[in-house]
Amino acid sequence: MTAFLGLSAFHRDAAVDDERRRRVAVQEERFSGKPGDASFPRRSVRWCLDEAGLRAGDLDGVVVSQKPLRTFERLLASHLEEFPRSARGFARAMFLWLGDRLWMRSRVAQELEVEAKRVLFCEHARAHAASAAFAAGLDDAAVLVLDDVGEWTTTAQCRVRAGAVEVLAEMRFPDSLGLVASAITQYLGFVPGQDEEVLGALGAHGAPRMLEHLRELVVPLDRGAFRVDRRAFPFRRGGDLAYGDALVEALGPARASGQPLLASGDDTRHADVAASAHALLAERAVDAARALRERVADVPDLALTGFLAQDARIVARVAEQSGFERVHAAPYADDAGAALGAALVGAQGAAFVGPLLGPRAEDDLGEHEGAKELDGADEVPRRIAERLERGELVGWARGRLALGRGALGGRIALASASEEGARARLLDALQLGESWRECFVLAPAERADEWFDVPPAARPAAARGGAVVRPRDSIARALNAASPAPVRRNPSRAARHQGISRLTPDPSSKSYDPIAK
Amino acid sequence: MRRSFPLAFPLARSLARRRDRAAWADPRRRLLTLESFAATEEDGGQDLVAAARRVTDPDLRAHVERHAADELRHARMFRDRAREVAAELALSEDAGERPDRPYDLSRGRPGLEQDAHGFFSGGLYDELGEVEYVAMLHVAESRAADLFAHHLDLVRGDDPATAEVFEAILRDEKYHMAYTARFLERWEGEGRAGEVARALRSARSSRAMANWRALGLRSGAGFGKAMLWVAYWVLVTPFALVGRLQQPASGWQAPAERDAGLESQA
């Protein structure tokens, strides 16, 4: 029997793949409740092994989704190049690496009590590419990795064939769209590496007025490549700030955490910065995808993954403009997917891997007061529709927990979108105080016209997912926003929604409940 | 902000007071301190939420749930106060006044693997069991009450809004100490006195160990970073001058030709 455990670098998530195709994966934060928990994933490893019926000693290998010596080389080289401005970052990075990360093989071996020779290492981009292609069930596909940074690689054009990943070309640190996204997130007063979704969500409330300035700081090169301005984005220094003076000169003063967010009324500067940054990232992502299309002209499928592929609007732009026939976004495009990809690279397996790989809802049903198990295809939509019609908010847990930060399957919170301010109420209940955070409208595709303004030219793309549409008034009131939003198609979700919509009144009666998530 | 020394040591107490008074007097550090308290309470609340799911005794479970809600509310109170302080400061965009957010390009968040109350983290309820977990809570809450009273004393005169937050939280801490004490007494009365005594001893020594280790790590970290900083200027300089001549190329590159297989770390 062959069985591989994947770990995302550094110590965050775990996944198991074995020859019986028992694939399970979970993020450590699901157990600890701490977002982005970076401690050694003892609990996720324990759960994955239990679920797969394995002991650590049964594993053929534990594959870490990064080559640590290459990452260390990158850090050293970057600090040398930035001398003498990298003094502070050097001391901090070397302390962390010399004290811990450089000894990953022995740390993993010790924690899991496996032989050191069974601890293996896979390039970060390769792990991402494997998880993306296999998630889409593709045996032959182009894969574009739009990441922050792995070892050296920030962006990679890959081809996956018959279970093997070939990296065709790569862009290297510090030219990174993911790090640009992090830097502008930090410029806006949010936490880099955690709050990047702010760019898409907040940007929907603004206009890309600063796009020209940003284009000068992330300059396009030949064949869809780009160069990041080192003064605006001093990533190589490794200091506290990921943005530099040139960005402040171009966009104006940065927002400190806790200062008012300018996103409505007369002054929408912060929303405009987010919109501009988002437009720039989408532009460069489309350029890179088009270049990949030229390189592999005979391949109709593109799988997108990496840090930026978590952004549905960027995926939508790539789907519309890259020239590929079909574009697939990995449901676990973040580092959780890299853990799964590492296990798949170890097992050299090419088979469909869905996103629902975590603990089952029914396993912890008794742990939530008021939770009820519903049974039967009819009862579930009926009970949910009844509650929504009464104006209640509904939490719906179904099947296994999905892997990945942006994954929408398995656990959803629902509110009726016929109510004004439904989004605000839902976010309040979820203790997400930021009013700009996004909710998604679930609607059956064939009736999308009732709630959305879908331009005729965008209809084919809307039908398969990947168009951008504008909500009509009734939905806009519920969402408290009329900004265009991307369409993502999910047949299983649509089917569930249809199940609910059959039980609700006709939309013309104005009491029909489309569902906002 | 955790203290490294028990307050019983007069010198340590005096140094801690001086250090903490300086922190509250500096508006920027006050902001960071409030944010750090908010994060600590949030972590504690999350831990308790997870623990409450596993508690089997319905009476204890109700208390742990309320405790969890209290901790999360405390986090919100600290965060709200931090927002007010930030607004009062009207932080300028001068780089020197920006909040000092650590930014780690490798995405890791190095920590001490201690939980919110100064214990080693790692599924505490699962690992400790009911009695030891409640003993741990009792010891931790006693310490937290002591800590918040200390900070209340420091801010009472100069910062009444922050003092109000501490006062409200201290009232909750008293309840937390009382209910944990009640359960420990109940178990003692049920013939489990030895188990309770062992659990309290273990909680106190675990916290002492965690604090000792944190102190060691902090001191070691400070010394290690200082040495690395010196090394940067002494040893790195000649290589850096060469390194600066070699700017990395931009654009698409062929992948590295050195794939040595999965066994290699390079």
Side-chain angles (χ1 to χ4, degrees), chain A residues 369-391:
Chain A
E369 197 174 334
K372 287 178 187 161
E373 186 166 3
L374 302 177
D375 195 16
D378 290 335
E379 190 190 2
V380 174
R382 182 175 59 77
R383 294 288 290 275
I384 291 175
E386 281 170 7
R387 283 175 168 245
L388 291 173
E389 282 178 348
R390 288 202 297 266

Side-chain angles (χ1 to χ4, degrees), chain B:
Chain B
M1 186 184 294
R2 294 191 185 105
R3 277 179 300 192
S4 308
F5 300 97
L7 287 183
F9 297 110
L11 176 61
R13 184 200 295 265
S14 165
L15 289 173
R17 270 189 83 80
R18 189 164 298 191
R19 182 195 63 190
D20 294 347
R21 191 183 293 283
W24 288 114
D26 176 350
R28 196 163 159 269
R29 288 176 69 192
R30 185 161 72 220
L31 172 63
L32 293 172
T33 302
L34 287 164
E35 286 178 342
S36 127
F37 273 137
T40 302
E41 293 292 299
E42 177 84 35
D43 284 353
Q46 296 292 358
D47 286 348
L48 284 158
V49 167
R53 290 182 193 143
R54 285 162 176 75
V55 173
T56 48
D57 179 335
D59 187 18
L60 176 59
R61 185 176 175 174
H63 284 291
V64 174
E65 281 172 350
R66 180 175 158 188
H67 190 163
D70 285 346
E71 298 284 324
L72 295 172
R73 186 162 44 78
H74 298 167
R76 282 198 298 278
M77 289 163 72
F78 278 125
R79 202 163 289 124
D80 290 346
R81 180 64 195 131
R83 281 201 196 101
E84 286 167 10
V85 169
E88 286 163 16
L89 288 173
L91 290 174
S92 81
E93 287 68 34
D94 176 69
E97 290 187 344
R98 283 183 191 125
D100 183 18
R101 286 196 183 285
Y103 183 69
D104 179 4
L105 290 175
S106 60
R107 296 262 172 268
R109 290 171 195 284
L112 298 176
E113 295 190 22
Q114 274 181 270
D115 79 343
H117 297 286
F119 290 83
F120 295 124
S121 63
L124 275 175
Y125 187 85
D126 290 340
E127 289 174 18
L128 298 179
E130 202 165 59
V131 172
E132 230 178 298
Y133 185 76
V134 172
M136 182 277 289
L137 280 182
H138 182 72
V139 172
E141 290 302 316
S142 310
R143 173 179 177 266
D146 184 27
L147 184 70
F148 288 142
H150 163 78
H151 286 295
L152 171 62
D153 192 34
L154 292 175
V155 299
R156 201 192 300 269
D158 306 323
D159 187 352
T162 302
E164 209 173 290
V165 172
F166 280 125
E167 277 165 1
I169 291 174
L170 267 171
R171 282 193 290 276
D172 292 335
E173 301 297 342
K174 282 178 189 156
Y175 155 67
H176 301 156
M177 282 192 289
Y179 91 81
T180 48
R182 188 162 61 81
F183 274 92
L184 292 171
E185 282 163 17
R186 183 200 289 178
W187 288 324
E188 279 173 337
E190 290 170 357
R192 299 167 75 183
E195 195 183 343
V196 169
R198 270 196 307 279
L200 283 168
R201 265 201 310 276
S202 166
R204 288 184 185 119
S205 63
S206 164
R207 191 174 71 75
M209 272 301 289
N211 274 338
W212 176 251
R213 195 177 114 173
L215 171 67
L217 284 174
R218 273 199 289 270
S219 311
F223 181 72
K225 282 179 189 166
M227 293 306 293
L228 286 164
W229 192 81
V230 171
Y232 180 82
W233 294 103
V234 175
L235 301 175
V236 173
T237 307
F239 300 101
L241 297 175
V242 177
R244 290 188 70 178
L245 299 175
Q246 278 196 319
Q247 291 293 320
S250 289
W252 294 112
Q253 323 259 328
E257 292 279 339
R258 54 180 172 179
D259 186 8
L262 294 176
E263 288 78 17
S264 170
Q265 297 189 64

Side-chain angles (χ1 to χ4, degrees), chain A residues 395-419:
Chain A
W396 185 8
R398 182 172 180 270
R400 284 184 179 275
L401 190 65
L403 181 66
R405 192 169 70 170
L408 294 175
R411 307 290 185 276
I412 54 177
L414 298 161
S416 163
S418 64
E419 278 181 47

Side-chain angles (χ1 to χ4, degrees), chain A residues 12 33-34 38 42-43 46 67-70 73 79-81 83-88 90-92 94-96 98 101-102 105 107 120-123 126 148-149 155 157 167-173 175 179 182 189 191-194 221 223-225 227 230 235-236 238-243 248 253-254 256-259 288 307 345-346 366-369 431, chain B residues 31 35 42-43 46-47 50 52-54 61 65 72 76 82-83 86-87 90-93 95 97-110 113-116 121-124 126-127 217 220-222 224-226 228-229 231-233 236-237 239-241 243-244 246-256 258-266:
Chain A
R12 193 173 293 171
K34 296 175 187 169
R42 292 186 192 92
R43 281 169 280 190
R46 193 191 305 160
K67 297 272 191 184
L69 289 183
R70 282 195 213 171
E73 175 194 56
H79 286 116
L80 292 180
E81 285 158 13
F83 183 88
R85 286 169 295 189
S86 55
R88 191 174 174 192
F90 176 85
R92 179 186 298 166
M94 290 306 112
F95 181 77
L96 183 63
L98 295 173
R101 295 185 173 173
L102 214 45
R105 173 167 271 154
R107 170 93 195 266
L120 308 171
F121 301 89
C122 159
E123 294 92 341
R126 196 179 291 269
D148 43 9
V149 62
T155 312
Q157 296 177 330
V167 180
L168 304 171
E170 62 185 25
M171 271 188 275
R172 292 180 192 156
F173 183 82
D175 294 319
L179 289 176
S182 290
V191 183
Q194 183 177 311
L221 303 175
R223 294 177 296 136
R227 185 178 193 282
R230 274 48 167 168
F235 304 136
R236 293 186 301 185
D240 291 335
L241 290 177
Y243 61 89
V248 177
S257 172
Q259 279 188 327
F307 193 61
V345 168
E367 296 176 3
H368 301 282
E369 197 174 334
Q431 297 184 348
Chain B
L31 172 63
E35 286 178 342
E42 177 84 35
D43 284 353
Q46 296 292 358
D47 286 348
R53 290 182 193 143
R54 285 162 176 75
R61 185 176 175 174
E65 281 172 350
L72 295 172
R76 282 198 298 278
R83 281 201 196 101
L91 290 174
S92 81
E93 287 68 34
E97 290 187 344
R98 283 183 191 125
D100 183 18
R101 286 196 183 285
Y103 183 69
D104 179 4
L105 290 175
S106 60
R107 296 262 172 268
R109 290 171 195 284
E113 295 190 22
Q114 274 181 270
D115 79 343
S121 63
L124 275 175
D126 290 340
E127 289 174 18
L217 284 174
K225 282 179 189 166
L228 286 164
W229 192 81
Y232 180 82
W233 294 103
V236 173
T237 307
F239 300 101
L241 297 175
R244 290 188 70 178
Q246 278 196 319
Q247 291 293 320
S250 289
W252 294 112
Q253 323 259 328
R258 54 180 172 179
D259 186 8
L262 294 176
E263 288 78 17
S264 170
Q265 297 189 64

Side-chain angles (χ1 to χ4, degrees), chain A residues 52-67:
Chain A
L54 298 168
R55 290 173 301 128
D58 299 329
L59 294 168
D60 292 276
V62 180
V63 190
V64 178
S65 65
Q66 196 162 108
K67 297 272 191 184

